[in-house]
Amino acid sequence: MFYLLRTIKMAGNALRRNVMRSALTTLGIVIGVAAVIAMVEIGEGSKKAVAQTIQSMGANNLLIQSGAASSGGVTFGSGSVLTLTPGDAEAIARDCQPRIVSVAPIVRARTQVVYGNKNWVPLYLYGTTSEFLDVREWDLADGREFTDAEVAGGADVCILGQTLVRELFGEESPIDEIVRVNNHPMRVIGVLSYKGANMMGMDQDDILLAPWRTIKSKVSGTSATTANQSAVVQQDPSQQVILTKQAYPNTSTNTLPAQTQSQALNNPPPLLPVNVDQILVRVATEGEIKQAISELSAVLRERHHLRAGQPDDFNLRDMTELSKAMGSTSELMSALLLVVAFISLVVGGVGIMNIMLVSVTERTKEIGLRMAVGARAKDILRQFLVEAILLCVLGGALGILLGRGGSYLVRVILNWQTEPSLPAIAASVAVSVVVGVIFGYYPAWKASRLDPIEALRYE
Amino acid sequence: MELIKLEDLHKTYHLGEIDVPVLKGVSLTIDRGEMVALTGASGSGKTTLMNILGCLDRPTSGRYWLDGEEISQLSADGRAMIRNKKIGFVFQSFNLLARTSALENVMMPLAYTASSLSDRDSRERARRVLERVSLGDRLDHHPSQLSGGQQQRVAIARALINNPPLLFADEPTGNLDSHTSEEILRMFQQLNVEQGITIVLVTHDAGVARHARRVIRMRDGLIESGLFGGADGEVKPERSTGLIAASLAE
Ligand SMILES: Nc1ncnc2c1ncn2[C@@H]1O[C@H](COP(=O)(O)OP(=O)(O)O)[C@@H](O)[C@H]1O
Ligand SMILES: [Mg+2]
């Protein structure tokens, strides 16, 4: 240990005797390491930025849809039979902890939303629960969430996305205003925060949320057809209702005699609504999606009384593929980075080897002298090797500082996200040592093989 | 007591196909505490012999005992250890490390000494040795800031740092003016007398050789005179007879 310290000190002295040359020799390593550190920090930063973007689109969300109906070999699309129930959602929330942190049933509709003389058909019109906000990790910009009572009772309240607010209300506050959804009045109780477009370019803020019972019973029954036709209609909402009803009566022709009151009491209508279109869940972390899927499937199959051989009557979709696709871009970048780093370090190493060879030739007489006073071949080898390694490590250290400085400048001036990377720093130090050993070994070996008499006579 | 004992030492260089015999059978003893001058014409093999005696080189054949230890069969590392512990060298061209202080030049051999001294002890020891060669006030001077004589004294201090019993000096005054030469030679005499260090002075200069108590004269790879101790320098018969016969025949 002491011996090594002394050798390092000796190497330091030798390098100090020619500071300028030492600095130029290690410049390749400095630049190589600086480039690697800066690029890794910037790369990690953008990776994190991408990850955050994916997260905001619901990277760890899972969408469960009702399964496809099939009849006589003809299979219909997803959701053609409604197999999912709010009970399923509750069961998942109850049985799939802690992997699944929140669960929201969704009833979808597509219809016109009217406020005053303005109207808009939102991209997303969801009947759900307050948990939806938790699943999507979505905050409210204004107002409040649904209360449990409002969800349970199917209250006429709704929460609007930013786009909908802009289209219907402009600059006004929508809170406590009444909008008409498919001609059904609802009070606005909250406004969602801004989220932006998702990966398909769909505007996620073009959304209206309401308790799912409300949508199920009062909106969705007639929604699909009403949306487009109603767009033609006059501006007066009250008139519009009448006209729509006249043109396209909801009620089918009743061929049976009307129910009497006692009959109605004896035959209570079934407890509607019972089905939902989708269930959206949030998995604790992205890494647990696989297990979450299998746990979830087990719960649903059990609840739906599916036997071993039977196919699922629901579909599961996750964002893994998408986030993988986006992740692979940065992985390719990292690979290229590594190649560039490797090349620059090899170039730096060759520079070191070159100068070390020159140095050995130049210091032949010194080597002869050291041998004459008792240095063994391995002492000489060690001395030159340690010199090369020290040169590389100093260069590496300088490179790390420069690289960090570079990424700091990029963060401050270009406002890019950067992320300090400890592994990159550790790897740089290790690589510097390795480069020093590899490219310093040959010159050191050459030095150690000198004949002391020849070396002493060298001029 | 003999410090150096040579027996029929040969050294032959091979230049391609041609064999160049440089030492042709040297036998010699040097006692502890002697001060010997090794002289002879240029090319007579003085440096070659000194390199072997100094454990820098191996003989082609023959045996060499240093301090009772058979050297000719030692490995390179073994010889390095001997050089470090028992031998000091002083060269014609000083061979100091440039841009390195006198103190650090003197400390340098300690880096290869097995019993590791602390940095402070090393410095202290180097300082004391430099004081011994009257350079106590030049510790931090670089070689370029010292005169030739001072540089050679630094080199002597470096040779003495490990307290070797044996000192070799190859043309130590070759690069010095006569006044400084005298000073350096007196220093060798002083080291020899006061500290009992055995000194082998290699020189082609009779004036320099005169400072030694015994002069060994070489010629064509053989010892011509001074084979045995004593100041007489008389050539005794034995191995040298052939040489004398040869010179007589000329
Ligand atoms: N490495 C070598 N290869 C071949 N010949 C050598 C070598 N070293 C010395 N010689 C030869 O050995 C002879 C003696 O050299 P040297 O010992 O240096 O003489 P001196 O020191 O007495 O002048 C010279 O003729 C020289 O050319
Ligand atoms: Mg010579």
Side-chain angles (χ1 to χ4, degrees), chain A residues 2-3 6 9-10 17 365-366 369-376 379 383 452-453 456, chain B residues 51 57 77 80 83-84 91 93 95 97-100 108 110-112 116-117 119 158:
Chain A
F2 175 78
Y3 193 89
R6 196 159 63 180
K9 203 172 158 237
M10 210 152 81
R17 259 185 270 156
K365 202 155 185 158
E366 177 191 328
L369 174 72
R370 288 181 181 277
M371 287 175 159
V373 302
R376 291 160 298 178
D379 294 322
Q383 183 188 344
I453 298 164
L456 271 171
Chain B
N51 285 340
D57 206 355
D77 283 1
R83 290 198 297 270
N84 188 251
F91 304 96
S93 52
N95 281 354
L97 297 182
R99 274 163 286 177
T100 305
M108 193 263 276
L110 293 177
Y112 307 106
S116 2
L117 276 138
D119 196 57
R158 179 181 64 198

mmCIF file of all heavy atoms in Angstrom, chain A residues 2-3 6 9-10 17 365-366 369-376 379 383 452-453 456, chain B residues 51 57 77 80 83-84 91 93 95 97-100 108 110-112 116-117 119 158:
data_model
loop_
_atom_site.group_PDB
_atom_site.id
_atom_site.type_symbol
_atom_site.label_atom_id
_atom_site.label_comp_id
_atom_site.label_asym_id
_atom_site.label_seq_id
_atom_site.Cartn_x
_atom_site.Cartn_y
_atom_site.Cartn_z
ATOM 1 N N PHE A 2 1.797 1.253 0.965
ATOM 2 C CA PHE A 2 2.733 2.361 1.066
ATOM 3 C C PHE A 2 3.536 2.464 -0.219
ATOM 4 O O PHE A 2 3.760 3.540 -0.756
ATOM 5 C CB PHE A 2 3.652 2.131 2.264
ATOM 6 C CG PHE A 2 4.746 3.167 2.379
ATOM 7 C CD1 PHE A 2 4.470 4.425 2.891
ATOM 8 C CD2 PHE A 2 6.038 2.875 1.976
ATOM 9 C CE1 PHE A 2 5.458 5.370 2.984
ATOM 10 C CE2 PHE A 2 7.035 3.819 2.068
ATOM 11 C CZ PHE A 2 6.745 5.072 2.586
ATOM 12 N N TYR A 3 3.910 1.260 -0.705
ATOM 13 C CA TYR A 3 4.709 1.190 -1.920
ATOM 14 C C TYR A 3 3.951 1.807 -3.086
ATOM 15 O O TYR A 3 4.495 2.586 -3.858
ATOM 16 C CB TYR A 3 5.035 -0.277 -2.204
ATOM 17 C CG TYR A 3 6.104 -0.446 -3.240
ATOM 18 C CD1 TYR A 3 7.445 -0.485 -2.860
ATOM 19 C CD2 TYR A 3 5.790 -0.531 -4.580
ATOM 20 C CE1 TYR A 3 8.431 -0.613 -3.805
ATOM 21 C CE2 TYR A 3 6.781 -0.662 -5.534
ATOM 22 C CZ TYR A 3 8.098 -0.707 -5.139
ATOM 23 O OH TYR A 3 9.092 -0.825 -6.072
ATOM 24 N N ARG A 6 3.808 5.512 -2.921
ATOM 25 C CA ARG A 6 5.076 6.094 -3.327
ATOM 26 C C ARG A 6 5.202 6.095 -4.850
ATOM 27 O O ARG A 6 5.662 7.058 -5.452
ATOM 28 C CB ARG A 6 6.220 5.288 -2.697
ATOM 29 C CG ARG A 6 7.538 6.010 -2.736
ATOM 30 C CD ARG A 6 8.474 5.459 -1.714
ATOM 31 N NE ARG A 6 8.801 4.068 -1.984
ATOM 32 C CZ ARG A 6 9.617 3.338 -1.211
ATOM 33 N NH1 ARG A 6 10.153 3.855 -0.138
ATOM 34 N NH2 ARG A 6 9.864 2.092 -1.506
ATOM 35 N N LYS A 9 3.075 8.782 -6.225
ATOM 36 C CA LYS A 9 3.699 10.082 -6.012
ATOM 37 C C LYS A 9 4.822 10.304 -7.028
ATOM 38 O O LYS A 9 4.970 11.387 -7.603
ATOM 39 C CB LYS A 9 4.261 10.133 -4.587
ATOM 40 C CG LYS A 9 4.396 11.553 -4.106
ATOM 41 C CD LYS A 9 4.752 11.643 -2.639
ATOM 42 C CE LYS A 9 5.379 12.984 -2.389
ATOM 43 N NZ LYS A 9 6.704 12.904 -1.807
ATOM 44 N N MET A 10 5.558 9.237 -7.256
ATOM 45 C CA MET A 10 6.658 9.309 -8.213
ATOM 46 C C MET A 10 6.106 9.604 -9.607
ATOM 47 O O MET A 10 6.645 10.434 -10.348
ATOM 48 C CB MET A 10 7.376 7.964 -8.219
ATOM 49 C CG MET A 10 8.832 8.035 -8.529
ATOM 50 S SD MET A 10 9.679 6.661 -7.732
ATOM 51 C CE MET A 10 9.358 5.328 -8.856
ATOM 52 N N ARG A 17 6.735 17.176 -14.198
ATOM 53 C CA ARG A 17 7.917 17.713 -14.849
ATOM 54 C C ARG A 17 7.605 18.214 -16.245
ATOM 55 O O ARG A 17 8.350 18.971 -16.824
ATOM 56 C CB ARG A 17 9.017 16.643 -14.913
ATOM 57 C CG ARG A 17 10.055 16.858 -13.825
ATOM 58 C CD ARG A 17 11.183 15.875 -13.995
ATOM 59 N NE ARG A 17 10.907 14.660 -13.261
ATOM 60 C CZ ARG A 17 11.445 13.474 -13.573
ATOM 61 N NH1 ARG A 17 12.258 13.354 -14.591
ATOM 62 N NH2 ARG A 17 11.165 12.413 -12.854
ATOM 63 N N LYS A 365 17.673 7.123 -20.577
ATOM 64 C CA LYS A 365 18.802 7.291 -19.671
ATOM 65 C C LYS A 365 18.341 7.252 -18.213
ATOM 66 O O LYS A 365 18.985 6.650 -17.356
ATOM 67 C CB LYS A 365 19.498 8.620 -19.963
ATOM 68 C CG LYS A 365 20.917 8.609 -19.479
ATOM 69 C CD LYS A 365 21.792 9.577 -20.235
ATOM 70 C CE LYS A 365 23.208 9.402 -19.755
ATOM 71 N NZ LYS A 365 24.197 9.865 -20.682
ATOM 72 N N GLU A 366 17.196 7.884 -17.958
ATOM 73 C CA GLU A 366 16.635 7.860 -16.610
ATOM 74 C C GLU A 366 16.315 6.422 -16.199
ATOM 75 O O GLU A 366 16.573 6.016 -15.057
ATOM 76 C CB GLU A 366 15.354 8.712 -16.569
ATOM 77 C CG GLU A 366 14.671 8.664 -15.206
ATOM 78 C CD GLU A 366 13.278 9.267 -15.224
ATOM 79 O OE1 GLU A 366 13.042 10.204 -16.004
ATOM 80 O OE2 GLU A 366 12.425 8.791 -14.450
ATOM 81 N N LEU A 369 19.438 4.682 -15.331
ATOM 82 C CA LEU A 369 19.903 5.135 -14.024
ATOM 83 C C LEU A 369 19.115 4.471 -12.899
ATOM 84 O O LEU A 369 19.679 3.974 -11.922
ATOM 85 C CB LEU A 369 19.745 6.654 -13.935
ATOM 86 C CG LEU A 369 20.055 7.237 -12.572
ATOM 87 C CD1 LEU A 369 21.542 7.180 -12.311
ATOM 88 C CD2 LEU A 369 19.534 8.653 -12.468
ATOM 89 N N ARG A 370 17.785 4.452 -13.062
ATOM 90 C CA ARG A 370 16.949 3.847 -12.028
ATOM 91 C C ARG A 370 17.309 2.370 -11.853
ATOM 92 O O ARG A 370 17.351 1.857 -10.736
ATOM 93 C CB ARG A 370 15.470 4.001 -12.377
ATOM 94 C CG ARG A 370 14.974 5.445 -12.217
ATOM 95 C CD ARG A 370 13.507 5.586 -12.552
ATOM 96 N NE ARG A 370 13.063 6.969 -12.419
ATOM 97 C CZ ARG A 370 12.711 7.536 -11.270
ATOM 98 N NH1 ARG A 370 12.758 6.832 -10.154
ATOM 99 N NH2 ARG A 370 12.326 8.794 -11.223
ATOM 100 N N MET A 371 17.575 1.711 -12.974
ATOM 101 C CA MET A 371 17.964 0.311 -12.880
ATOM 102 C C MET A 371 19.313 0.191 -12.170
ATOM 103 O O MET A 371 19.519 -0.707 -11.359
ATOM 104 C CB MET A 371 18.037 -0.312 -14.267
ATOM 105 C CG MET A 371 16.656 -0.553 -14.867
ATOM 106 S SD MET A 371 16.762 -1.150 -16.549
ATOM 107 C CE MET A 371 15.152 -1.917 -16.732
ATOM 108 N N ALA A 372 20.231 1.112 -12.488
ATOM 109 C CA ALA A 372 21.561 1.052 -11.880
ATOM 110 C C ALA A 372 21.483 1.212 -10.362
ATOM 111 O O ALA A 372 22.245 0.593 -9.631
ATOM 112 C CB ALA A 372 22.458 2.133 -12.470
ATOM 113 N N VAL A 373 20.534 2.021 -9.884
ATOM 114 C CA VAL A 373 20.446 2.203 -8.434
ATOM 115 C C VAL A 373 19.524 1.177 -7.790
ATOM 116 O O VAL A 373 19.219 1.282 -6.603
ATOM 117 C CB VAL A 373 19.987 3.621 -8.035
ATOM 118 C CG1 VAL A 373 20.932 4.654 -8.593
ATOM 119 C CG2 VAL A 373 18.561 3.878 -8.468
ATOM 120 N N GLY A 374 19.073 0.200 -8.562
ATOM 121 C CA GLY A 374 18.389 -0.915 -7.923
ATOM 122 C C GLY A 374 16.952 -1.164 -8.327
ATOM 123 O O GLY A 374 16.298 -2.023 -7.742
ATOM 124 N N ALA A 375 16.434 -0.414 -9.330
ATOM 125 C CA ALA A 375 15.064 -0.690 -9.771
ATOM 126 C C ALA A 375 15.040 -2.000 -10.532
ATOM 127 O O ALA A 375 15.880 -2.234 -11.388
ATOM 128 C CB ALA A 375 14.568 0.452 -10.647
ATOM 129 N N ARG A 376 14.079 -2.857 -10.186
ATOM 130 C CA ARG A 376 13.925 -4.097 -10.927
ATOM 131 C C ARG A 376 13.029 -3.828 -12.132
ATOM 132 O O ARG A 376 12.354 -2.803 -12.201
ATOM 133 C CB ARG A 376 13.291 -5.169 -10.037
ATOM 134 C CG ARG A 376 14.205 -5.626 -8.922
ATOM 135 C CD ARG A 376 13.408 -6.267 -7.824
ATOM 136 N NE ARG A 376 12.471 -5.301 -7.251
ATOM 137 C CZ ARG A 376 11.606 -5.587 -6.295
ATOM 138 N NH1 ARG A 376 11.524 -6.808 -5.829
ATOM 139 N NH2 ARG A 376 10.824 -4.662 -5.818
ATOM 140 N N ASP A 379 9.650 -2.906 -11.227
ATOM 141 C CA ASP A 379 9.514 -1.549 -10.681
ATOM 142 C C ASP A 379 9.322 -0.543 -11.808
ATOM 143 O O ASP A 379 8.501 0.369 -11.714
ATOM 144 C CB ASP A 379 10.756 -1.167 -9.869
ATOM 145 C CG ASP A 379 10.896 -2.009 -8.617
ATOM 146 O OD1 ASP A 379 9.861 -2.303 -7.999
ATOM 147 O OD2 ASP A 379 12.038 -2.373 -8.278
ATOM 148 N N GLN A 383 6.088 1.641 -12.608
ATOM 149 C CA GLN A 383 6.171 3.101 -12.627
ATOM 150 C C GLN A 383 5.517 3.683 -13.882
ATOM 151 O O GLN A 383 4.712 4.605 -13.797
ATOM 152 C CB GLN A 383 7.631 3.542 -12.561
ATOM 153 C CG GLN A 383 7.752 5.053 -12.515
ATOM 154 C CD GLN A 383 9.195 5.509 -12.635
ATOM 155 O OE1 GLN A 383 10.116 4.719 -12.452
ATOM 156 N NE2 GLN A 383 9.371 6.777 -12.938
ATOM 157 N N PRO A 452 20.092 -2.156 -18.708
ATOM 158 C CA PRO A 452 20.573 -0.975 -17.975
ATOM 159 C C PRO A 452 21.825 -0.351 -18.591
ATOM 160 O O PRO A 452 21.950 0.878 -18.617
ATOM 161 C CB PRO A 452 20.858 -1.512 -16.568
ATOM 162 C CG PRO A 452 20.792 -2.987 -16.655
ATOM 163 C CD PRO A 452 19.943 -3.321 -17.834
ATOM 164 N N ILE A 453 22.730 -1.179 -19.115
ATOM 165 C CA ILE A 453 23.974 -0.618 -19.663
ATOM 166 C C ILE A 453 23.688 0.163 -20.939
ATOM 167 O O ILE A 453 24.134 1.297 -21.108
ATOM 168 C CB ILE A 453 25.000 -1.745 -19.935
ATOM 169 C CG1 ILE A 453 25.350 -2.433 -18.614
ATOM 170 C CG2 ILE A 453 26.241 -1.201 -20.604
ATOM 171 C CD1 ILE A 453 26.023 -3.763 -18.787
ATOM 172 N N LEU A 456 21.896 3.345 -20.064
ATOM 173 C CA LEU A 456 22.764 4.370 -19.481
ATOM 174 C C LEU A 456 23.611 5.043 -20.554
ATOM 175 O O LEU A 456 23.940 6.220 -20.461
ATOM 176 C CB LEU A 456 23.688 3.733 -18.441
ATOM 177 C CG LEU A 456 23.131 3.671 -17.029
ATOM 178 C CD1 LEU A 456 24.038 2.835 -16.148
ATOM 179 C CD2 LEU A 456 22.968 5.067 -16.449
ATOM 180 N N ASN B 51 31.146 -2.774 -15.245
ATOM 181 C CA ASN B 51 29.726 -3.139 -15.334
ATOM 182 C C ASN B 51 29.470 -4.507 -14.717
ATOM 183 O O ASN B 51 28.441 -4.722 -14.069
ATOM 184 C CB ASN B 51 29.259 -3.125 -16.793
ATOM 185 C CG ASN B 51 29.081 -1.710 -17.311
ATOM 186 O OD1 ASN B 51 28.950 -0.770 -16.525
ATOM 187 N ND2 ASN B 51 29.087 -1.555 -18.621
ATOM 188 N N ASP B 57 25.908 -6.147 -15.402
ATOM 189 C CA ASP B 57 26.077 -7.061 -16.528
ATOM 190 C C ASP B 57 26.522 -8.419 -16.001
ATOM 191 O O ASP B 57 26.978 -8.531 -14.850
ATOM 192 C CB ASP B 57 27.137 -6.482 -17.481
ATOM 193 C CG ASP B 57 26.930 -6.975 -18.905
ATOM 194 O OD1 ASP B 57 26.040 -7.826 -19.114
ATOM 195 O OD2 ASP B 57 27.661 -6.500 -19.787
ATOM 196 N N ASP B 77 16.722 -9.612 -11.172
ATOM 197 C CA ASP B 77 16.148 -8.991 -9.980
ATOM 198 C C ASP B 77 17.104 -9.091 -8.798
ATOM 199 O O ASP B 77 17.257 -8.157 -8.014
ATOM 200 C CB ASP B 77 14.813 -9.658 -9.614
ATOM 201 C CG ASP B 77 13.691 -9.186 -10.522
ATOM 202 O OD1 ASP B 77 13.973 -8.366 -11.416
ATOM 203 O OD2 ASP B 77 12.552 -9.649 -10.334
ATOM 204 N N ALA B 80 19.667 -6.543 -9.160
ATOM 205 C CA ALA B 80 19.122 -5.214 -8.860
ATOM 206 C C ALA B 80 19.134 -4.959 -7.354
ATOM 207 O O ALA B 80 19.481 -3.869 -6.893
ATOM 208 C CB ALA B 80 17.704 -5.090 -9.413
ATOM 209 N N ARG B 83 22.637 -4.209 -6.272
ATOM 210 C CA ARG B 83 23.009 -2.839 -6.659
ATOM 211 C C ARG B 83 22.408 -1.833 -5.688
ATOM 212 O O ARG B 83 23.030 -0.848 -5.308
ATOM 213 C CB ARG B 83 22.499 -2.519 -8.079
ATOM 214 C CG ARG B 83 23.220 -3.262 -9.181
ATOM 215 C CD ARG B 83 22.985 -2.590 -10.530
ATOM 216 N NE ARG B 83 21.585 -2.600 -10.953
ATOM 217 C CZ ARG B 83 21.027 -3.566 -11.666
ATOM 218 N NH1 ARG B 83 21.733 -4.629 -12.030
ATOM 219 N NH2 ARG B 83 19.765 -3.495 -12.023
ATOM 220 N N ASN B 84 21.171 -2.106 -5.322
ATOM 221 C CA ASN B 84 20.495 -1.158 -4.446
ATOM 222 C C ASN B 84 21.126 -1.095 -3.062
ATOM 223 O O ASN B 84 21.270 -0.031 -2.478
ATOM 224 C CB ASN B 84 19.013 -1.540 -4.338
ATOM 225 C CG ASN B 84 18.208 -0.492 -3.599
ATOM 226 O OD1 ASN B 84 17.781 -0.707 -2.483
ATOM 227 N ND2 ASN B 84 18.033 0.660 -4.234
ATOM 228 N N PHE B 91 28.709 8.494 -12.331
ATOM 229 C CA PHE B 91 28.978 8.448 -13.767
ATOM 230 C C PHE B 91 29.685 9.709 -14.239
ATOM 231 O O PHE B 91 29.641 10.747 -13.599
ATOM 232 C CB PHE B 91 27.660 8.290 -14.531
ATOM 233 C CG PHE B 91 26.871 7.091 -14.105
ATOM 234 C CD1 PHE B 91 25.855 7.217 -13.160
ATOM 235 C CD2 PHE B 91 27.144 5.837 -14.621
ATOM 236 C CE1 PHE B 91 25.124 6.113 -12.762
ATOM 237 C CE2 PHE B 91 26.416 4.726 -14.220
ATOM 238 C CZ PHE B 91 25.402 4.867 -13.283
ATOM 239 N N SER B 93 28.774 11.533 -16.738
ATOM 240 C CA SER B 93 27.827 12.603 -17.105
ATOM 241 C C SER B 93 26.791 12.864 -16.006
ATOM 242 O O SER B 93 25.681 13.288 -16.294
ATOM 243 C CB SER B 93 27.144 12.249 -18.415
ATOM 244 O OG SER B 93 26.606 10.939 -18.325
ATOM 245 N N ASN B 95 24.276 12.109 -14.692
ATOM 246 C CA ASN B 95 23.006 11.385 -14.755
ATOM 247 C C ASN B 95 22.027 11.770 -13.654
ATOM 248 O O ASN B 95 21.441 10.913 -13.007
ATOM 249 C CB ASN B 95 23.236 9.866 -14.706
ATOM 250 C CG ASN B 95 23.668 9.313 -16.042
ATOM 251 O OD1 ASN B 95 23.682 10.042 -17.034
ATOM 252 N ND2 ASN B 95 24.033 8.056 -16.072
ATOM 253 N N LEU B 97 18.367 13.538 -12.549
ATOM 254 C CA LEU B 97 17.053 13.756 -13.166
ATOM 255 C C LEU B 97 16.844 15.253 -13.333
ATOM 256 O O LEU B 97 16.953 16.014 -12.374
ATOM 257 C CB LEU B 97 15.942 13.186 -12.289
ATOM 258 C CG LEU B 97 15.970 11.675 -12.053
ATOM 259 C CD1 LEU B 97 14.781 11.267 -11.196
ATOM 260 C CD2 LEU B 97 15.943 10.928 -13.378
ATOM 261 N N ALA B 98 16.565 15.649 -14.570
ATOM 262 C CA ALA B 98 16.351 17.071 -14.846
ATOM 263 C C ALA B 98 15.080 17.547 -14.144
ATOM 264 O O ALA B 98 14.185 16.750 -13.838
ATOM 265 C CB ALA B 98 16.222 17.293 -16.342
ATOM 266 N N ARG B 99 15.007 18.816 -13.899
ATOM 267 C CA ARG B 99 13.831 19.437 -13.272
ATOM 268 C C ARG B 99 13.414 18.734 -11.986
ATOM 269 O O ARG B 99 12.251 18.567 -11.686
ATOM 270 C CB ARG B 99 12.649 19.456 -14.253
ATOM 271 C CG ARG B 99 12.669 20.682 -15.152
ATOM 272 C CD ARG B 99 11.784 20.487 -16.346
ATOM 273 N NE ARG B 99 12.391 19.588 -17.302
ATOM 274 C CZ ARG B 99 11.828 19.172 -18.422
ATOM 275 N NH1 ARG B 99 10.616 19.555 -18.717
ATOM 276 N NH2 ARG B 99 12.456 18.383 -19.246
ATOM 277 N N THR B 100 14.393 18.235 -11.278
ATOM 278 C CA THR B 100 14.141 17.555 -10.013
ATOM 279 C C THR B 100 15.175 18.076 -9.029
ATOM 280 O O THR B 100 16.355 18.194 -9.378
ATOM 281 C CB THR B 100 14.293 16.032 -10.195
ATOM 282 O OG1 THR B 100 13.434 15.625 -11.253
ATOM 283 C CG2 THR B 100 13.936 15.276 -8.937
ATOM 284 N N MET B 108 16.109 9.306 -4.669
ATOM 285 C CA MET B 108 15.551 8.404 -5.676
ATOM 286 C C MET B 108 15.813 6.918 -5.430
ATOM 287 O O MET B 108 14.874 6.123 -5.495
ATOM 288 C CB MET B 108 16.064 8.862 -7.051
ATOM 289 C CG MET B 108 15.355 8.260 -8.210
ATOM 290 S SD MET B 108 16.246 6.871 -8.842
ATOM 291 C CE MET B 108 17.396 7.706 -9.915
ATOM 292 N N LEU B 110 16.025 5.285 -2.812
ATOM 293 C CA LEU B 110 15.245 4.765 -1.680
ATOM 294 C C LEU B 110 13.909 4.194 -2.141
ATOM 295 O O LEU B 110 13.319 3.349 -1.476
ATOM 296 C CB LEU B 110 15.011 5.872 -0.647
ATOM 297 C CG LEU B 110 16.262 6.360 0.087
ATOM 298 C CD1 LEU B 110 15.907 7.502 1.016
ATOM 299 C CD2 LEU B 110 16.884 5.211 0.869
ATOM 300 N N ALA B 111 13.441 4.665 -3.298
ATOM 301 C CA ALA B 111 12.165 4.165 -3.822
ATOM 302 C C ALA B 111 12.245 2.677 -4.126
ATOM 303 O O ALA B 111 11.234 1.997 -4.208
ATOM 304 C CB ALA B 111 11.783 4.938 -5.077
ATOM 305 N N TYR B 112 13.452 2.168 -4.315
ATOM 306 C CA TYR B 112 13.596 0.764 -4.678
ATOM 307 C C TYR B 112 14.181 -0.055 -3.543
ATOM 308 O O TYR B 112 14.586 -1.190 -3.730
ATOM 309 C CB TYR B 112 14.461 0.657 -5.937
ATOM 310 C CG TYR B 112 13.932 1.529 -7.042
ATOM 311 C CD1 TYR B 112 14.564 2.703 -7.408
ATOM 312 C CD2 TYR B 112 12.742 1.184 -7.686
ATOM 313 C CE1 TYR B 112 14.044 3.519 -8.400
ATOM 314 C CE2 TYR B 112 12.212 1.998 -8.670
ATOM 315 C CZ TYR B 112 12.869 3.161 -9.020
ATOM 316 O OH TYR B 112 12.344 3.959 -9.982
ATOM 317 N N SER B 116 10.978 0.061 3.601
ATOM 318 C CA SER B 116 10.489 1.368 3.178
ATOM 319 C C SER B 116 10.570 2.374 4.316
ATOM 320 O O SER B 116 10.054 2.154 5.403
ATOM 321 C CB SER B 116 9.054 1.247 2.686
ATOM 322 O OG SER B 116 8.602 -0.057 2.813
ATOM 323 N N LEU B 117 11.254 3.448 4.029
ATOM 324 C CA LEU B 117 11.307 4.558 4.967
ATOM 325 C C LEU B 117 10.127 5.462 4.687
ATOM 326 O O LEU B 117 9.631 5.515 3.566
ATOM 327 C CB LEU B 117 12.589 5.349 4.726
ATOM 328 C CG LEU B 117 13.847 4.825 5.398
ATOM 329 C CD1 LEU B 117 15.012 4.909 4.455
ATOM 330 C CD2 LEU B 117 14.136 5.625 6.644
ATOM 331 N N ASP B 119 8.329 9.081 4.041
ATOM 332 C CA ASP B 119 8.791 10.181 3.200
ATOM 333 C C ASP B 119 9.659 11.144 4.009
ATOM 334 O O ASP B 119 10.691 11.616 3.532
ATOM 335 C CB ASP B 119 7.572 10.901 2.622
ATOM 336 C CG ASP B 119 7.949 11.783 1.450
ATOM 337 O OD1 ASP B 119 8.522 11.246 0.487
ATOM 338 O OD2 ASP B 119 7.684 12.996 1.514
ATOM 339 N N ARG B 158 23.856 10.679 -3.972
ATOM 340 C CA ARG B 158 22.872 9.680 -4.385
ATOM 341 C C ARG B 158 23.463 8.278 -4.271
ATOM 342 O O ARG B 158 22.808 7.337 -3.832
ATOM 343 C CB ARG B 158 22.424 9.943 -5.827
ATOM 344 C CG ARG B 158 21.414 8.943 -6.344
ATOM 345 C CD ARG B 158 21.024 9.245 -7.763
ATOM 346 N NE ARG B 158 22.170 9.118 -8.658
ATOM 347 C CZ ARG B 158 22.228 9.639 -9.881
ATOM 348 N NH1 ARG B 158 21.218 10.342 -10.351
ATOM 349 N NH2 ARG B 158 23.293 9.482 -10.624
#
